[in-house]
Amino acid sequence: MAKRIRIGNNPAVGDSGIFISKPGRDIDDTTTNYLLDSRFRTLMLHANGQVGMTSTAAVTGKTIWYAEVNFPDLGYRPVFFGNIKYDSANPSNIPVNSSGVPISLCGTYGQVGSGGQIFIESGVWLVNNTTLRARAVMNVGGSAGSMTLTWMVFKNRFGE
Amino acid sequence: MVARAIIQPARIIVSRPGVPVSPSMADTDKIFDSDWNWSGILLEAKTATDPGGGDWNVMFNRDYGYAPCVVARMLAASSVATPWSGPSVQSPMQQVGNGQVCPIIYSNRIWFPRNLSTGGTMNYGTIEYEVYGVD
């Protein structure tokens, strides 16, 4: 059985702390990640949710979905994750390109459905310490599709 | 108060506040289980701006010994100003015409290639990235 727990000095990393290796991996094996490593922070969820995005044809020849989410102020810029899900005309409900590769969040080019509709932009970003915004832009106007934003904000501070 | 931790030679489990710990409990009620493969370790979360020139290497805080998981997003100018004039958030894995670039993750850095596969160069602008302790 592999040695998996070390509390105190850990010669394998040259530091002290609490360390637990992954199942089946020895604590001296530093060629992969530890399961628990007190030298680093663990993700701590602050707020999360899902919201349907509003669509508009404010720009001729494009359909734009957008959403804004507010969350309690931590007093600093937090780490976040956001994902836009296309709810219509796609069996997997995930925007994919012609090779089936998800483009949600990445926001590069991809074709959705059989109508040749192309997402030219999509993304989720932090406006300030309390506001998250998401937007997806399709290259045709009047699309009847719907989009959902799934978001998570963590207590972890961005910039460390 | 309920018991929230099991510490055995072969397993450590910690439950959520208020939930009695048990080896058979649901994962959603756990904070930590040594049988998992990942526990949400965030190694670093930062911003970097492309200085131009040759290939761009964004160095990590240290050499982690393995290639970690990286989530990176590129903040570019948006093609539409409505409903917001905010950035367009794009992947640094880009296709420009028929040319492509694909960043590579090493144990100590993210390598952003400068040259597109069909000629021309890529400017990454500002990148936000998170590095997770999982390979």
Side-chain angles (χ1 to χ4, degrees), chain B residues 48-84:
Chain B
T49 300
D50 186 353
D55 291 345
W56 182 31
N57 285 285
V58 174
M59 305 304 294
F60 296 147
N61 289 341
R62 65 175 77 193
D63 188 328
Y64 294 107
Y66 58 89
C69 172
V70 174
V71 174
R73 49 193 174 272
M74 190 173 80
L75 306 181
S78 174
S79 67
V80 295
T82 304
W84 296 304

Side-chain angles (χ1 to χ4, degrees), chain B residues 33-57:
Chain B
D33 185 341
S34 61
D35 276 2
W36 289 344
N37 277 305
W38 184 54
S39 58
I41 292 175
L42 179 64
L43 301 172
E44 49 191 281
K46 290 187 170 181
T47 298
T49 300
D50 186 353
D55 291 345
W56 182 31
N57 285 285

Side-chain angles (χ1 to χ4, degrees), chain B residues 10-44:
Chain B
R11 195 163 183 196
I12 295 176
I13 302 173
V14 180
S15 65
R16 293 198 306 173
V19 179
V21 69
S22 160
S24 59
M25 69 187 305
D27 277 352
T28 52
D29 284 331
K30 296 173 187 170
I31 289 177
F32 181 82
D33 185 341
S34 61
D35 276 2
W36 289 344
N37 277 305
W38 184 54
S39 58
I41 292 175
L42 179 64
L43 301 172
E44 49 191 281

Side-chain angles (χ1 to χ4, degrees), chain A residues 4-5 20 22-23 30-37 39-43 58-59 62 64 66-68 77 79-80 105-109 120-125 133-135 137 156 158-160, chain B residues 10 12 32-47 61-62 64-66 71 73 78-80 82-84 86-91 93-95 128-130 132-135:
Chain A
R4 293 191 50 210
I5 302 173
I20 299 177
K22 292 192 292 189
T30 57
T31 62
T32 188
N33 63 292
Y34 283 148
L35 180 61
L36 179 65
D37 188 335
R39 294 176 298 168
F40 308 111
R41 289 175 173 81
T42 296
L43 281 178
V59 177
K62 292 184 171 64
I64 304 166
Y66 61 102
E68 182 176 277
R77 180 178 173 82
V79 171
F80 73 96
L105 183 65
C106 299
T108 50
Y109 303 89
I120 56 175
E121 293 179 20
S122 72
V124 185
W125 70 96
R133 281 179 175 170
R135 182 172 57 187
V137 181
N156 303 71
F158 194 87
E160 295 182 338
Chain B
I12 295 176
F32 181 82
D33 185 341
S34 61
D35 276 2
W36 289 344
N37 277 305
W38 184 54
S39 58
I41 292 175
L42 179 64
L43 301 172
E44 49 191 281
K46 290 187 170 181
T47 298
N61 289 341
R62 65 175 77 193
Y64 294 107
Y66 58 89
V71 174
R73 49 193 174 272
S78 174
S79 67
V80 295
T82 304
W84 296 304
S88 165
V89 184
Q90 300 181 9
S91 167
M93 180 185 292
Q94 289 285 311
Q95 177 171 331
E128 290 183 342
Y129 64 98
E130 288 102 35
Y132 295 98
V134 60
D135 69 351

